[in-house]
Amino acid sequence: MPFITYLSGLLTAQMLSDDQLISGVEIRCEEKGRCPSTCHLCRRPGKEQLSPTPVLLEINRVVPLYTLIQDNGTKEAFKSALMSSYWCSGKGDVIDDWCRCDLSAFDASGLPNCSPLPQPVLRLSPTVEPSSTVVSLEWVDVQPAIGTKVSDYILQHKKVDEYTDTDLYTGEFLSFADDLLSGLGTSCVAAGRSHGEVPEVSIYSVIFKCLEPDGLYKFTLYAVDTRGRHSEVSTVTLRTACPLVDDNKAEEIADKIYNLYNGYTSGKEQQIAYNTLMEVSASMLFRVQHHYNSHYEKFGDFVWRSEDELGPRKAHLILRRLERVSRHCSSLLRSAYIQSRVETVPYLFCRSEEIRPAGMVWYSILKDTKITCEEKMVSMARNMYGESKGRYYLTLSKVTPF
């Protein structure tokens, strides 16, 4: 009989009973819509009114579908089919914690591909805020419980600007296992491994400590399994924070330049002014120009006075350096007040306890690598910008994930 008929009969039996309700049985009925008119099982005999659609009120426990089957042979076949479909794309059998692919499940390179290699998702680390020179990235380990085994992660980073041909300049490739965990890589990059909310889930991290301020960088990541397959690439593009600026020093230099430009400027004073402006960074030069124009523009702006006192050639050499400052940083460097801040934050530094044999990278499983980790500190330099003294705000790096 239809399920709703069974419920109605049981409810009627309880309502007609003089005794208390049957122990352990509770029935709650409510209107939850109607069955479609095409369903003949939902119609009650002799009544035009369609019965309500049954609604699942509560789930007591979750069990695999194959456990509901009584016949052992059918149960094992159903279990095998479900495991194959979930872990091996339906093109192989689950053996322990790996997939034995069917003969038809091989790619053009002759490698078995029934067990998919998931794409890692590269992201900024939420525990380390990017600064002008430091950026920390992380990703969750994509190795499934059954199937493909991740051997390594390959990380590429490169600086992208108008002076660089991105097609010719490939940047630097780093192997997480061979370069970073082994300690053979540069001291400017450190690797880490931690656990997420679930102990079985590993989170890998890489911190770059020697990037250029106000630089546009592109980071890419892909996984490599023990058979040599590569996953899809994950990309993050970001611009590092603006360079650290000593605002008090910039104002002092602006006053110094004004005094050198004021009145008759001798050849010695011209050379002192030229050397002073060429020695500071492009960001400091931008800030010097801002202070000069804020205090002394009525005597001529910075560009005009430099060309008049130093000559067009030397002035051009100085002023063209301002083109290196990005539009983002140039707008911030026009703030009324800037305060620099340097703080130290912890990061995880991990090293492998074992040496991976050369030429055997594909046959090692990264998750099984024994590592030792320690907490270290890194200095983070940032500018705080404000429209009035005592009220400052921070600016974060611009991030574009793909």
Side-chain angles (χ1 to χ4, degrees), residues 315-326:
H316 174 71
L317 293 175
I318 293 172
L319 297 175
R320 73 175 184 178
R321 298 173 60 227
L322 296 175
E323 299 174 359
R324 302 177 186 176
V325 182
S326 69

Side-chain angles (χ1 to χ4, degrees), residues 267-287:
K268 180 180 180 181
E269 290 173 329
Q270 288 181 357
Q271 191 63 38
I272 293 175
Y274 175 78
N275 292 340
T276 301
L277 295 176
M278 290 296 290
E279 288 172 357
V280 299
S281 65
S283 297
M284 277 289 288
L285 179 61
F286 197 100
R287 193 62 181 170

Side-chain angles (χ1 to χ4, degrees), residues 110-151:
L111 297 175
N113 63 351
C114 66
S115 179
L117 179 57
Q119 177 191 22
V121 179
L122 190 63
R123 66 191 184 195
L124 279 177
S125 174
T127 58
V128 181
E129 179 186 331
S131 71
S132 56
T133 58
V134 179
V135 170
S136 180
L137 302 169
E138 68 177 27
W139 65 93
V140 178
D141 187 21
V142 296
Q143 177 171 303
I146 296 175
T148 186
K149 306 301 178 188
V150 174
S151 171

Side-chain angles (χ1 to χ4, degrees), residues 72-340:
N72 289 334
T74 306
K75 180 188 295 186
E76 289 300 320
F78 191 25
K79 176 181 178 181
S80 177
L82 283 178
M83 297 284 283
S84 173
S85 176
Y86 189 81
W87 297 109
C88 309
S89 304
K91 301 177 182 179
D93 298 322
V94 174
I95 307 295
D96 295 330
D97 63 345
W98 58 281
C99 288
R100 182 180 61 191
C101 297
D102 299 336
L103 295 178
S104 59
F106 286 78
D107 58 19
S109 303
L111 297 175
N113 63 351
C114 66
S115 179
L117 179 57
Q119 177 191 22
V121 179
L122 190 63
R123 66 191 184 195
L124 279 177
S125 174
T127 58
V128 181
E129 179 186 331
S131 71
S132 56
T133 58
V134 179
V135 170
S136 180
L137 302 169
E138 68 177 27
W139 65 93
V140 178
D141 187 21
V142 296
Q143 177 171 303
I146 296 175
T148 186
K149 306 301 178 188
V150 174
S151 171
D152 200 0
Y153 289 98
I154 305 300
L155 190 68
Q156 177 199 18
H157 74 283
K158 63 180 179 180
K159 187 179 180 183
V160 183
D161 53 38
E162 64 272 19
Y163 309 106
T164 304
D165 189 333
T166 55
D167 295 329
L168 297 178
Y169 174 62
T170 59
E172 183 180 5
F173 287 86
L174 294 172
S175 164
F176 189 83
D178 291 337
D179 296 329
L180 300 181
L181 287 183
S182 66
L184 299 178
T186 171
S187 59
C188 288
V189 187
R193 185 174 73 182
S194 58
H195 296 290
E197 297 179 357
V198 181
E200 292 77 15
V201 177
S202 296
I203 297 178
Y204 296 104
S205 61
V206 174
I207 185 169
F208 294 86
K209 299 180 288 184
C210 306
L211 300 180
E212 294 183 20
D214 194 20
L216 185 63
Y217 286 88
K218 181 179 181 181
F219 301 88
T220 59
L221 175 76
Y222 63 86
V224 181
D225 70 1
T226 54
R227 301 181 187 273
R229 291 186 304 164
H230 292 184
S231 70
E232 294 293 327
V233 175
S234 178
T235 304
V236 168
T237 302
L238 63 85
R239 180 176 292 279
T240 52
C242 303
L244 200 64
V245 172
D246 187 341
D247 201 34
N248 293 329
K249 183 178 180 181
E251 193 167 9
E252 291 175 1
I253 294 176
D255 294 338
K256 176 182 178 180
I257 297 299
Y258 169 74
N259 292 327
L260 291 171
Y261 286 173
N262 190 25
Y264 171 76
T265 306
S266 65
K268 180 180 180 181
E269 290 173 329
Q270 288 181 357
Q271 191 63 38
I272 293 175
Y274 175 78
N275 292 340
T276 301
L277 295 176
M278 290 296 290
E279 288 172 357
V280 299
S281 65
S283 297
M284 277 289 288
L285 179 61
F286 197 100
R287 193 62 181 170
V288 169
Q289 180 189 29
H290 170 79
H291 282 301
Y292 187 97
N293 291 336
S294 298
H295 299 310
Y296 311 113
E297 191 173 14
K298 61 183 179 181
F299 304 108
D301 72 337
F302 180 77
V303 174
W304 181 82
R305 291 289 289 160
S306 296
E307 291 176 345
D308 184 56
E309 298 294 340
L310 304 180
R313 188 183 68 84
K314 286 187 176 181
H316 174 71
L317 293 175
I318 293 172
L319 297 175
R320 73 175 184 178
R321 298 173 60 227
L322 296 175
E323 299 174 359
R324 302 177 186 176
V325 182
S326 69
R327 186 176 302 177
H328 172 67
C329 285
S330 62
S331 63
L332 292 173
L333 290 172
R334 292 188 182 95
S335 301
Y337 300 97
I338 299 178
Q339 180 179 352
S340 59

Side-chain angles (χ1 to χ4, degrees), residues 14-30:
Q14 293 211 66
M15 293 176 61
L16 294 177
S17 175
D18 295 333
D19 302 331
Q20 295 181 351
L21 295 179
I22 302 174
S23 177
V25 175
E26 179 184 357
I27 299 177
R28 289 179 290 163
C29 293
E30 56 182 315

